[in-house]
Amino acid sequence: MNTVRIKDKTFRVSIPEAEIRKRISVVADRLNKDMADKKPLFLAVLNGSFVFAADLMRMITIPCEISFVKLASYQGTTSTGKVTEVIGINEDLTGRHIVIVEDIVDTGLTMKRMVETLGTRNPASVHICTLLVKPEKLQVDLNIEYAAMEIPNDFIVGYGLDYDQEGRNLKDIYTVVAD
């Protein structure tokens, strides 16, 4: 499927599944090396990161844990700029090495809020791991140590990312095509 139609928009394949998995493998290798003696806690941000988090975790070979949080900042195709914590963190983070697992960082507002929230829980360290980053859209300064890919400021869907909750199940990443 080179193009798909979701609601009122047409999308075309921009990053095939094989390329996504190759890039995740590179990130996983770095995490395995950098976190080898730290037993990190991966905190996957729902809903979008669940596919990335699952594939990443299958490539992590060191002792680790995973948990999930839910933050919301999107409505339709644009960020609302307001972040609302929907599901909180139940684990004790004191002295833990935290790796936030996110599907995409664009404005950085969600990630900034997440890092600030985690910082109040006394972790040993907090690291950002994202499948995708839009460097030209960043509005805040973030240390994104583990980014699988940088992409332009296009609206995308697939591989866990959605358009109004649809399209998460697509195995490739698709970019919106002007209608």
Side-chain angles (χ1 to χ4, degrees):
M1 249 187 320
N2 285 333
T3 63
V4 295
R5 185 101 178 141
I6 301 174
K7 296 192 176 190
D8 60 336
K9 301 200 179 310
T10 301
F11 296 83
R12 67 171 159 64
V13 172
S14 56
I15 309 170
E17 180 185 25
E19 179 66 19
I20 297 166
R21 288 183 184 269
K22 184 167 41 166
R23 299 289 186 96
I24 293 172
S25 178
V26 170
V27 169
D29 289 348
R30 285 189 49 226
L31 282 162
N32 285 325
K33 180 181 173 207
D34 294 353
M35 301 283 162
D37 58 347
K38 295 183 167 79
K39 192 180 176 191
L41 171 62
F42 289 88
L43 286 179
V45 182
L46 295 173
N47 288 336
S49 76
F50 80 99
V51 175
F52 171 48
D55 285 347
L56 178 68
M57 290 305 291
R58 285 191 292 263
M59 296 179 191
I60 297 296
T61 58
I62 59 172
C64 64
E65 296 175 28
I66 187 167
S67 190
F68 299 88
V69 295
K70 186 167 183 175
L71 300 173
S73 68
Y74 259 82
Q75 194 165 33
T77 61
T78 57
S79 178
T80 63
K82 275 178 25 186
V83 179
T84 307
E85 187 166 348
V86 180
I87 300 171
I89 302 159
N90 298 321
E91 289 77 12
D92 180 8
L93 303 184
T94 305
R96 299 292 310 265
H97 297 277
I98 309 302
V99 178
I100 303 168
V101 180
E102 180 66 291
D103 56 349
I104 186 167
V105 176
D106 52 22
T107 65
L109 296 172
T110 301
M111 192 54 55
K112 182 176 188 282
R113 165 77 186 272
M114 180 88 171
V115 170
E116 289 169 352
T117 299
L118 294 175
T120 67
R121 309 279 295 270
N122 302 314
S125 63
V126 177
H127 307 272
I128 300 170
C129 176
T130 186
L131 176 63
L132 305 165
V133 64
K134 294 181 177 180
E136 65 193 56
K137 186 120 187 257
L138 280 174
Q139 296 178 12
V140 294
D141 188 31
L142 290 173
N143 180 18
I144 304 172
E145 294 172 78
Y146 305 97
M149 292 175 263
E150 292 186 356
I151 62 168
N153 188 23
D154 297 325
F155 186 72
I156 58 172
V157 69
Y159 204 79
L161 294 105
D162 72 298
Y163 172 41
D164 280 345
Q165 299 303 321
E166 293 184 28
R168 292 187 195 279
N169 58 313
L170 299 168
K171 64 181 180 170
D172 303 307
I173 293 175
Y174 292 73
T175 301
V176 71
V177 176
D179 283 327

